[in-house]
Amino acid sequence: MPELPEVEIVRQSLNKKVRNQKIKKVIVRNHKLRLKIPANFESFLKFQKIIKIKRFSKYIIFCFLNGSYCLLHLGMTGTIHIINNNKKNFITNASFYSSPTLPKKHNHVEIIFKNLKIIYNDPRRFGFFEIIKDSSLLKKKFSKYGPEPFQSEFNVKYILSYFSKKKRTVKNFLLDQNFVSGIGNIYASEILFLSKIKPHKKAFLIGRKDCERIVINSKKILLKAIKEGGSSIRDFKNTSGKKGNFQKNFNVYERNGLSCKRIGCSGIIKKKIISNRSTFFCNLCQL
């Protein structure tokens, strides 16, 4: 599943290509995504001018000149492919996971501009589009979400208060979008490694120093992942010719049985299933 850094890379790609562009036509080939695409979707988007592409958590936000919005969530397997009408498209994927070129199947939505089009592909159909008619409804949409790690609201006081008397694991909370928005399974393991906290530690046992490390390392890991182009795993170039290389920096994720990378630590990376998710950690330096 694409996490915050991967979604941010898609946002950057889209903002570069379709900002200030007017939508000429929309084709919906399959309305049955996780949320059914509304019947008026094509007519609502047609002739809309995109003033910018924003992101919150794992949502891509198309911002239109008339003050309305279109949200896109990529789900587990959703990708955006950008097709330029004026040149050969050797690589179309706006991000770094799944197929680098447009697959022949599962192309559910096509948004057409003057010289290019963007195509939403999603084999498992867990992604969705949503129309938001104004800024107040957009604010309401995200009102139950926790702050992003980059926001000032995500601080030591907030975490200590949230974790007080809670018996769920700290890893569970990092994946809980009501607590913090945008962190997924890969980056939760990496954040907890840098913070020297075992993922199955109960939240109420997390102290002030632990919270300080979580705040610092959440920003550090996500910013580095964005800079490196996210975690492609398969490592191919996106439409801008850049590679997603963060997977080369994994300290624990998918390193089960290997030696800990931390200098001076002789530990071994272990794998544990927490809430049906694979979790990786060092058996010695994470306490």
Side-chain angles (χ1 to χ4, degrees):
M1 176 186 289
E3 299 185 20
L4 186 153
E6 289 75 44
V7 177
E8 173 61 18
I9 297 304
V10 176
R11 184 205 69 81
Q12 291 176 11
S13 297
L14 285 172
N15 199 53
K16 182 179 179 181
K17 298 292 186 180
V18 303
R19 185 177 183 180
N20 294 322
Q21 297 267 357
K22 183 178 286 189
I23 297 171
K24 291 183 65 178
K25 185 179 180 181
V26 178
I27 301 172
V28 177
R29 294 190 173 88
N30 189 346
H31 285 261
K32 296 179 181 179
L33 302 183
R34 181 164 52 156
L35 297 180
K36 188 175 181 180
I37 295 178
N40 68 333
F41 185 78
E42 289 115 316
S43 60
F44 185 88
L45 264 62
K46 190 175 182 180
F47 303 133
Q48 292 273 22
K49 184 176 181 180
I50 297 171
I51 56 172
K52 60 183 171 182
I53 308 290
K54 298 199 299 184
R55 179 196 55 75
F56 178 77
S57 184
K58 301 174 187 179
Y59 286 85
I60 294 167
I61 307 171
F62 293 80
C63 305
F64 299 127
L65 183 62
N66 70 351
S68 62
Y69 306 88
C70 177
L71 305 186
L72 167 60
H73 194 290
L74 296 170
M76 294 185 69
T77 58
T79 51
I80 287 288
H81 293 262
I82 301 175
I83 311 294
N84 192 314
N85 297 333
N86 298 323
K87 65 178 182 180
K88 291 184 178 179
N89 297 277
F90 297 106
I91 297 170
T92 62
N93 198 333
S95 192
F96 302 90
Y97 56 92
S98 192
S99 171
T101 54
L102 182 67
K104 293 182 179 179
K105 296 181 179 180
H106 311 298
N107 296 312
H108 305 306
V109 177
E110 189 171 322
I111 302 175
I112 301 168
F113 302 86
K114 183 179 179 181
N115 295 314
L116 59 83
K117 58 186 175 182
I118 57 178
I119 297 174
Y120 177 69
N121 179 278
D122 190 351
R124 300 187 70 176
R125 292 184 290 143
F126 287 164
F128 61 89
F129 290 85
E130 187 174 353
I131 291 171
I132 304 290
K133 292 188 176 180
D134 57 51
S135 58
S136 63
L137 292 174
L138 183 68
K139 185 177 181 180
K140 183 179 180 181
K141 169 72 179 179
F142 295 127
S143 62
K144 294 183 180 180
Y145 283 72
E148 286 196 348
F150 306 124
Q151 293 179 286
S152 60
E153 292 87 348
F154 188 68
N155 54 44
V156 172
K157 182 179 179 181
Y158 169 75
I159 298 175
L160 279 173
S161 175
Y162 208 99
F163 283 1
S164 177
K165 300 180 182 180
K166 302 288 198 324
K167 294 184 179 180
R168 291 173 65 198
T169 69
V170 63
K171 169 74 183 303
N172 282 140
F173 276 110
L174 287 184
L175 296 181
D176 185 347
Q177 302 302 297
N178 294 319
F179 166 61
V180 59
S181 295
I183 296 176
N185 197 44
I186 293 175
Y187 299 109
S189 288
E190 295 296 316
I191 289 164
L192 290 172
F193 172 77
L194 283 193
S195 302
K196 296 184 178 180
I197 301 169
K198 61 185 178 184
H200 42 291
K201 189 171 184 175
K202 302 297 183 184
F204 74 92
L205 296 173
I206 298 296
R208 179 171 290 273
K209 288 292 184 182
D210 291 331
C211 293
E212 289 175 357
R213 289 194 287 264
I214 288 172
V215 170
I216 291 169
N217 291 320
S218 295
K219 293 180 176 69
K220 183 177 180 179
I221 286 289
L222 294 176
L223 286 171
K224 187 172 184 180
I226 291 169
K227 184 179 179 181
E228 294 289 335
S231 302
S232 68
I233 308 300
R234 298 185 184 181
D235 192 20
F236 61 78
K237 295 180 181 180
N238 76 338
T239 54
S240 299
K242 297 179 181 179
K243 290 185 177 181
N245 290 319
F246 189 75
Q247 70 276 13
K248 296 177 182 177
N249 297 303
F250 287 163
N251 289 299
V252 290
Y253 189 76
E254 292 193 338
R255 297 193 68 247
N256 185 32
L258 299 177
S259 299
C260 179
K261 289 184 177 182
R262 200 185 306 275
I263 296 174
C265 181
S266 58
I268 301 296
I269 304 306
K270 300 293 183 179
K271 178 180 178 179
K272 186 179 181 69
I273 303 300
I274 299 177
S275 298
N276 298 316
R277 306 297 298 275
S278 296
T279 302
F280 301 86
F281 63 98
C282 175
N283 66 337
L284 287 186
C285 64
Q286 290 179 251
L287 305 175

